[in-house]
PDB file of all heavy atoms in Angstrom:
ATOM      1  N   LEU A 206     -24.070  36.924   4.007  1.00 93.00           N
ATOM      2  CA  LEU A 206     -25.146  36.550   3.121  1.00 93.00           C
ATOM      3  C   LEU A 206     -26.051  35.476   3.643  1.00 93.00           C
ATOM      4  O   LEU A 206     -27.245  35.459   3.494  1.00 93.00           O
ATOM      5  CB  LEU A 206     -24.591  35.974   1.774  1.00 93.00           C
ATOM      6  CG  LEU A 206     -23.988  37.026   0.802  1.00 93.00           C
ATOM      7  CD1 LEU A 206     -23.465  36.270  -0.385  1.00 93.00           C
ATOM      8  CD2 LEU A 206     -25.109  38.042   0.449  1.00 93.00           C
ATOM      9  N   LEU A 207     -25.485  34.548   4.523  1.00 93.00           N
ATOM     10  CA  LEU A 207     -26.128  33.471   5.053  1.00 93.00           C
ATOM     11  C   LEU A 207     -26.817  33.837   6.383  1.00 93.00           C
ATOM     12  O   LEU A 207     -27.553  33.051   7.037  1.00 93.00           O
ATOM     13  CB  LEU A 207     -25.224  32.291   5.465  1.00 93.00           C
ATOM     14  CG  LEU A 207     -24.575  31.615   4.147  1.00 93.00           C
ATOM     15  CD1 LEU A 207     -23.554  30.583   4.615  1.00 93.00           C
ATOM     16  CD2 LEU A 207     -25.615  31.046   3.306  1.00 93.00           C
ATOM     17  N   GLY A 208     -26.657  35.083   6.835  1.00 91.00           N
ATOM     18  CA  GLY A 208     -27.231  35.565   8.006  1.00 91.00           C
ATOM     19  C   GLY A 208     -26.620  35.084   9.242  1.00 91.00           C
ATOM     20  O   GLY A 208     -27.270  34.960  10.391  1.00 91.00           O
ATOM     21  N   LEU A 209     -25.331  34.574   9.179  1.00 91.00           N
ATOM     22  CA  LEU A 209     -24.702  34.048  10.344  1.00 91.00           C
ATOM     23  C   LEU A 209     -23.654  34.960  10.948  1.00 91.00           C
ATOM     24  O   LEU A 209     -23.019  34.661  12.045  1.00 91.00           O
ATOM     25  CB  LEU A 209     -23.950  32.751   9.811  1.00 91.00           C
ATOM     26  CG  LEU A 209     -24.858  31.592   9.281  1.00 91.00           C
ATOM     27  CD1 LEU A 209     -24.002  30.502   8.769  1.00 91.00           C
ATOM     28  CD2 LEU A 209     -25.860  31.137  10.337  1.00 91.00           C
ATOM     29  N   TYR A 210     -23.454  36.017  10.351  1.00 93.00           N
ATOM     30  CA  TYR A 210     -22.390  36.969  10.824  1.00 93.00           C
ATOM     31  C   TYR A 210     -22.981  37.841  11.886  1.00 93.00           C
ATOM     32  O   TYR A 210     -23.981  38.534  11.730  1.00 93.00           O
ATOM     33  CB  TYR A 210     -21.833  37.854   9.758  1.00 93.00           C
ATOM     34  CG  TYR A 210     -20.691  38.800  10.111  1.00 93.00           C
ATOM     35  CD1 TYR A 210     -19.414  38.216  10.367  1.00 93.00           C
ATOM     36  CD2 TYR A 210     -20.856  40.212  10.276  1.00 93.00           C
ATOM     37  CE1 TYR A 210     -18.362  39.099  10.764  1.00 93.00           C
ATOM     38  CE2 TYR A 210     -19.808  40.956  10.656  1.00 93.00           C
ATOM     39  CZ  TYR A 210     -18.596  40.343  10.818  1.00 93.00           C
ATOM     40  OH  TYR A 210     -17.551  41.284  11.216  1.00 93.00           O
ATOM     41  N   ASN A 211     -22.355  37.881  13.104  1.00 92.00           N
ATOM     42  CA  ASN A 211     -22.760  38.739  14.236  1.00 92.00           C
ATOM     43  C   ASN A 211     -21.707  39.580  14.721  1.00 92.00           C
ATOM     44  O   ASN A 211     -21.755  40.025  15.926  1.00 92.00           O
ATOM     45  CB  ASN A 211     -23.406  37.898  15.321  1.00 92.00           C
ATOM     46  CG  ASN A 211     -22.447  36.880  15.870  1.00 92.00           C
ATOM     47  OD1 ASN A 211     -21.209  36.916  15.542  1.00 92.00           O
ATOM     48  ND2 ASN A 211     -22.819  36.131  16.856  1.00 92.00           N
ATOM     49  N   GLY A 212     -20.659  39.862  13.941  1.00 91.00           N
ATOM     50  CA  GLY A 212     -19.544  40.644  14.369  1.00 91.00           C
ATOM     51  C   GLY A 212     -19.684  42.096  13.870  1.00 91.00           C
ATOM     52  O   GLY A 212     -20.721  42.449  13.348  1.00 91.00           O
ATOM     53  N   PRO A 213     -18.618  42.941  14.276  1.00 93.00           N
ATOM     54  CA  PRO A 213     -18.699  44.318  13.863  1.00 93.00           C
ATOM     55  C   PRO A 213     -18.512  44.560  12.328  1.00 93.00           C
ATOM     56  O   PRO A 213     -17.906  43.611  11.658  1.00 93.00           O
ATOM     57  CB  PRO A 213     -17.593  44.936  14.683  1.00 93.00           C
ATOM     58  CG  PRO A 213     -16.559  43.778  14.871  1.00 93.00           C
ATOM     59  CD  PRO A 213     -17.483  42.584  15.031  1.00 93.00           C
ATOM     60  N   GLU A 214     -18.885  45.626  11.874  1.00 92.00           N
ATOM     61  CA  GLU A 214     -18.701  45.908  10.446  1.00 92.00           C
ATOM     62  C   GLU A 214     -17.224  46.302  10.204  1.00 92.00           C
ATOM     63  O   GLU A 214     -16.683  47.212  10.859  1.00 92.00           O
ATOM     64  CB  GLU A 214     -19.687  47.049   9.996  1.00 92.00           C
ATOM     65  CG  GLU A 214     -19.525  47.307   8.455  1.00 92.00           C
ATOM     66  CD  GLU A 214     -20.539  48.414   8.060  1.00 92.00           C
ATOM     67  OE1 GLU A 214     -21.514  48.630   8.785  1.00 92.00           O
ATOM     68  OE2 GLU A 214     -20.270  48.969   7.071  1.00 92.00           O
ATOM     69  N   LEU A 215     -16.524  45.562   9.345  1.00 93.00           N
ATOM     70  CA  LEU A 215     -15.121  45.874   9.019  1.00 93.00           C
ATOM     71  C   LEU A 215     -14.943  46.208   7.600  1.00 93.00           C
ATOM     72  O   LEU A 215     -15.395  45.537   6.732  1.00 93.00           O
ATOM     73  CB  LEU A 215     -14.328  44.528   9.432  1.00 93.00           C
ATOM     74  CG  LEU A 215     -14.325  44.040  10.789  1.00 93.00           C
ATOM     75  CD1 LEU A 215     -13.619  42.743  10.936  1.00 93.00           C
ATOM     76  CD2 LEU A 215     -13.713  45.049  11.804  1.00 93.00           C
ATOM     77  N   GLY A 216     -14.223  47.350   7.426  1.00 93.00           N
ATOM     78  CA  GLY A 216     -13.809  47.707   6.028  1.00 93.00           C
ATOM     79  C   GLY A 216     -12.498  47.083   5.628  1.00 93.00           C
ATOM     80  O   GLY A 216     -11.890  46.292   6.444  1.00 93.00           O
ATOM     81  N   LEU A 217     -12.038  47.336   4.438  1.00 95.00           N
ATOM     82  CA  LEU A 217     -10.889  46.715   3.884  1.00 95.00           C
ATOM     83  C   LEU A 217      -9.639  47.135   4.642  1.00 95.00           C
ATOM     84  O   LEU A 217      -8.816  46.189   4.883  1.00 95.00           O
ATOM     85  CB  LEU A 217     -10.698  47.075   2.340  1.00 95.00           C
ATOM     86  CG  LEU A 217      -9.615  46.377   1.581  1.00 95.00           C
ATOM     87  CD1 LEU A 217      -9.790  44.857   1.632  1.00 95.00           C
ATOM     88  CD2 LEU A 217      -9.510  46.875   0.140  1.00 95.00           C
ATOM     89  N   PHE A 218      -9.549  48.307   5.077  1.00 95.00           N
ATOM     90  CA  PHE A 218      -8.379  48.711   5.921  1.00 95.00           C
ATOM     91  C   PHE A 218      -8.278  47.915   7.190  1.00 95.00           C
ATOM     92  O   PHE A 218      -7.198  47.459   7.521  1.00 95.00           O
ATOM     93  CB  PHE A 218      -8.486  50.250   6.130  1.00 95.00           C
ATOM     94  CG  PHE A 218      -7.385  50.774   7.044  1.00 95.00           C
ATOM     95  CD1 PHE A 218      -6.085  50.932   6.565  1.00 95.00           C
ATOM     96  CD2 PHE A 218      -7.692  50.984   8.381  1.00 95.00           C
ATOM     97  CE1 PHE A 218      -5.109  51.295   7.502  1.00 95.00           C
ATOM     98  CE2 PHE A 218      -6.743  51.492   9.253  1.00 95.00           C
ATOM     99  CZ  PHE A 218      -5.353  51.651   8.717  1.00 95.00           C
ATOM    100  N   GLN A 219      -9.346  47.795   7.871  1.00 96.00           N
ATOM    101  CA  GLN A 219      -9.407  47.132   9.103  1.00 96.00           C
ATOM    102  C   GLN A 219      -9.091  45.587   8.900  1.00 96.00           C
ATOM    103  O   GLN A 219      -8.311  45.048   9.781  1.00 96.00           O
ATOM    104  CB  GLN A 219     -10.773  47.187   9.753  1.00 96.00           C
ATOM    105  CG  GLN A 219     -11.083  48.661  10.175  1.00 96.00           C
ATOM    106  CD  GLN A 219     -12.516  48.912  10.419  1.00 96.00           C
ATOM    107  OE1 GLN A 219     -13.395  48.556   9.567  1.00 96.00           O
ATOM    108  NE2 GLN A 219     -12.897  49.420  11.629  1.00 96.00           N
ATOM    109  N   ILE A 220      -9.618  45.025   7.790  1.00 96.00           N
ATOM    110  CA  ILE A 220      -9.275  43.604   7.574  1.00 96.00           C
ATOM    111  C   ILE A 220      -7.816  43.489   7.270  1.00 96.00           C
ATOM    112  O   ILE A 220      -7.176  42.452   7.731  1.00 96.00           O
ATOM    113  CB  ILE A 220     -10.153  43.162   6.323  1.00 96.00           C
ATOM    114  CG1 ILE A 220     -11.646  43.042   6.762  1.00 96.00           C
ATOM    115  CG2 ILE A 220      -9.633  41.811   5.873  1.00 96.00           C
ATOM    116  CD1 ILE A 220     -12.604  42.714   5.605  1.00 96.00           C
ATOM    117  N   ALA A 221      -7.303  44.378   6.494  1.00 96.00           N
ATOM    118  CA  ALA A 221      -5.829  44.350   6.179  1.00 96.00           C
ATOM    119  C   ALA A 221      -4.986  44.474   7.464  1.00 96.00           C
ATOM    120  O   ALA A 221      -3.970  43.702   7.534  1.00 96.00           O
ATOM    121  CB  ALA A 221      -5.412  45.542   5.291  1.00 96.00           C
ATOM    122  N   ILE A 222      -5.333  45.250   8.405  1.00 96.00           N
ATOM    123  CA  ILE A 222      -4.706  45.299   9.663  1.00 96.00           C
ATOM    124  C   ILE A 222      -4.752  44.105  10.462  1.00 96.00           C
ATOM    125  O   ILE A 222      -3.765  43.576  11.029  1.00 96.00           O
ATOM    126  CB  ILE A 222      -5.101  46.534  10.478  1.00 96.00           C
ATOM    127  CG1 ILE A 222      -4.785  47.886   9.783  1.00 96.00           C
ATOM    128  CG2 ILE A 222      -4.424  46.633  11.845  1.00 96.00           C
ATOM    129  CD1 ILE A 222      -3.370  48.217   9.500  1.00 96.00           C
TER     130      ILE A 222
END
Side-chain angles (χ1 to χ4, degrees):
L206 285 180
L207 296 175
L209 300 175
Y210 184 74
N211 61 1
E214 184 176 340
L215 297 175
L217 185 58
F218 172 76
Q219 293 163 308
I220 290 174
I222 295 297

